[in-house]
Amino acid sequence: MTSQRQSGLLFAGLVGALAGAALAGRRGAAAGAFLLAATDAVARVRQKPGEIPAWWSRVVMSGALAAPAGWAAGRFLKPATVGLVAGSVAGALGLRPQKVALGPVVGAVAGLVGRRASPAVVAAGAVVGFRVLSAMVFREPQVDLLATQVPAAELPFVVPLAARGRYVGTGYVRELAEVLGGDYRADVPDVGIVGSLDDLAGPRFDPGGVDPLVREFYERTTRFRLDIVPVWRPWVRPGYLLYRTLVARPLGQANVPMNQRETLRGVRSRIDTISSGAESVRGWIRSFADTDEPIYVGIYTTYRYEGRGYVSVGFPVPQGNFTATLLPLPRAGGGLVLTSRSSLAHPGHYLSYIDPATGELTTLAVHGFAEQLDVYVENGSLRAEHAFSLFGLPFLVLHYTMRRK
C-alpha cells in the first residue's frame, strides 16, 4: 500500500471517528472510523487513473465532516439554526449561484424536520441532503479532471506558465525571462498580442474579412489606448468585493475595476516580450496608471489544431495557470469574435497545477465559466464588449473604446 493511500485511509478513519462520536457518543467513534475508512478504501480501489474520487464517497465524507462541526455549533445554536448555517455553507462551497441560493433552503428544511434531533444529525443531514438534491437538479459537472502529471505538449490549449512566488504583479514577465533565459524587452513599441491574425484562419473564420482597424489592434496593440467601463451585475458585487480584497489584490492578478470611477485613475497598457530562438512570449500587462497596481497579467499565445487557429490567454497564479482558450469567429461588418462557447473540444477555461520540477500539468476543465469578446468598428471608432457569465448567469461586461495614442 502506498504512503498516499495509507495517509488517505488514516485521514478517513480520523474523520469517521469524530463523526461517529458526534452522532452517537463515544461508542460511535469506532464504528464511524471503520465505516468511513472502508468507504474511502472502496472508492480508491474503484478510482481510475486521472479520475477524482467517486461522487458518493465525496458525499459521505462531506456529511462526516459536517457532523462534528454541527455538534460544536450546537453548543451555542439551536438545531434549526445549525441546519440553516450548514446548508448555507454547503451552498456557498458549490460556487454556482443557483447552488448558493439552494443551500439555505435545504438547510432550513433540514433544521425544521430535525428540530428534535441532535445538531450533529441536523448538520450532516443538511449537507448530505444538499449534495444529493443539487446533483439531481444540476446534472452537468462544474469541473472535470482532464489530466494528471502529463507533459505540456499533450494539452496545447493550456498555457504552461506559472508564477514562482506568491505575487504575480507587473514584473511577472521580467521574472519569467530570468527563468526561461530569453531576451526580455519591456513595454515593446508597435507590437500586438498576436503575431498575425492569419494564424487564426479556420473553416469558420477568414482573416481576410476582418476590418483593417480590428486587425491593426490585434497585431499592433500598443498603438492604442484603452478606455474601460465595467458593468457588474448587482448580485455578484458583494462576492467580487470579498474576492478582490482577499485574493486579487494580495495576488497581484485578475483585479478588475469595480466601477467607472476607478478607471478614471487611468489604465496603463503595455506588452512585455521574451524572445528565445523561434519561441516568443507576449505578456499584456494592464495596471492603474497612478500606482501601477496590476489589473491583470495575461500571456497571449496562438496555436493551430486540426486546421483551426485558437487564442489561449494564460493568467499565471502561484504554481499554476488559469487559461482561457477562445475560438475566433467572424462578426458582421468586419468585426471579430473570440469565444469560449463552442461544441469543439478545445475552447473553454482550464485551471492547471504546474509541477515546478518537471513542468508537467494537472488540469481541471472549468465548465461553469464562459466569456465572449466582440471587437468591431462603429462610426469609425474601435470598440469591444467583453462579456462573462457563470453557470449561464451573466455577471460582468467590460465595454472598451480603443483610440490610437
Side-chain angles (χ1 to χ4, degrees):
M1 182 181 294
T2 66
S3 59
Q4 183 178 7
R5 179 168 295 187
Q6 288 177 335
S7 299
L9 287 174
L10 181 62
F11 176 75
L14 177 61
V15 173
L18 292 174
L23 294 169
R26 293 182 180 179
R27 295 180 179 180
F34 172 78
L35 290 174
L36 202 62
T39 299
D40 182 80
V42 172
R44 289 177 182 274
V45 168
R46 296 170 62 90
Q47 184 179 353
K48 297 178 182 179
E51 285 186 346
I52 58 177
W55 171 82
W56 55 267
S57 70
R58 303 199 307 273
V59 172
V60 172
M61 176 60 76
S62 63
L65 289 169
W71 176 85
R75 308 289 293 267
F76 311 98
L77 303 173
K78 294 181 179 180
T81 307
V82 170
L84 179 62
V85 172
S88 300
V89 171
L93 292 175
L95 297 180
R96 188 193 297 252
Q98 297 94 327
K99 287 188 176 182
V100 174
L102 179 64
V105 176
V106 175
V109 172
L112 181 64
V113 173
R115 59 185 180 276
R116 295 183 179 179
S118 71
V121 170
V122 172
V127 171
V128 172
F130 168 78
R131 294 292 301 272
V132 172
L133 181 60
S134 63
M136 295 171 61
V137 175
F138 309 109
R139 306 189 70 86
E140 294 183 359
Q142 294 184 186
V143 297
D144 273 336
L145 181 62
L146 291 184
T148 56
Q149 296 180 316
V150 301
E154 293 189 15
L155 303 178
F157 45 83
V158 171
V159 177
L161 298 174
R164 297 294 174 124
R166 296 182 178 180
Y167 188 78
V168 181
T170 57
Y172 170 77
V173 180
R174 181 186 66 250
E175 296 165 0
L176 179 64
E178 296 175 359
V179 176
L180 299 180
D183 179 25
Y184 169 71
R185 295 182 64 196
D187 200 1
V188 180
D190 209 34
V191 70
I193 52 178
V194 302
S196 172
L197 276 188
D198 295 333
D199 296 336
L200 303 182
R204 298 179 61 189
F205 177 63
D206 177 13
V210 173
D211 188 284
L213 193 57
V214 175
R215 177 184 282 268
E216 182 183 4
F217 171 72
Y218 275 94
E219 297 177 353
R220 297 290 183 267
T221 310
T222 53
R223 292 180 182 177
F224 295 83
R225 176 172 58 87
L226 281 71
D227 295 327
I228 308 174
V229 178
V231 179
W232 291 88
R233 293 295 178 97
W235 66 267
V236 80
R237 293 177 69 89
Y240 177 70
L241 181 61
L242 184 65
Y243 155 81
R244 189 185 192 194
T245 303
L246 299 180
V247 179
R249 281 180 166 163
L251 185 61
Q253 176 67 289
N255 179 26
V256 179
M258 282 289 295
N259 49 51
Q260 189 175 6
R261 184 178 65 254
E262 285 192 349
T263 66
L264 294 177
R265 297 163 55 186
V267 175
R268 183 189 178 195
S269 173
R270 75 176 200 258
I271 295 179
D272 292 359
T273 64
I274 305 172
S275 299
S276 178
E279 300 295 325
S280 178
V281 173
R282 299 168 188 249
W284 193 9
I285 302 165
R286 291 188 233 179
S287 59
F288 291 105
D290 54 351
T291 62
D292 205 33
E293 178 187 5
I295 295 175
Y296 84 67
V297 180
I299 305 300
Y300 281 70
T301 66
T302 61
Y303 72 96
R304 297 191 62 78
Y305 181 77
E306 294 186 347
R308 288 183 171 88
Y310 296 90
V311 175
S312 285
V313 188
F315 300 94
V317 296
Q319 295 191 1
N321 195 289
F322 182 76
T323 300
T325 294
L326 309 174
L327 174 71
L329 296 171
R331 190 184 194 276
L336 170 64
V337 174
L338 293 173
T339 182
S340 66
R341 302 185 183 101
S342 173
S343 59
L344 297 174
H346 285 194
H349 295 84
Y350 306 95
L351 181 62
S352 300
Y353 165 75
I354 303 171
D355 190 299
T358 65
E360 292 180 328
L361 306 179
T362 297
T363 299
L364 293 171
V366 185
H367 299 297
F369 198 82
E371 65 179 293
Q372 181 163 304
L373 175 62
D374 288 74
V375 183
Y376 57 95
V377 178
E378 183 178 75
N379 299 325
S381 297
L382 186 59
R383 300 182 182 277
E385 295 176 356
H386 200 168
F388 301 84
S389 63
L390 190 63
F391 302 107
L393 295 178
F395 68 90
L396 169 65
V397 179
L398 299 174
H399 298 274
Y400 290 96
T401 301
M402 292 84 89
R403 300 183 177 90
R404 285 195 181 89
K405 295 179 181 178

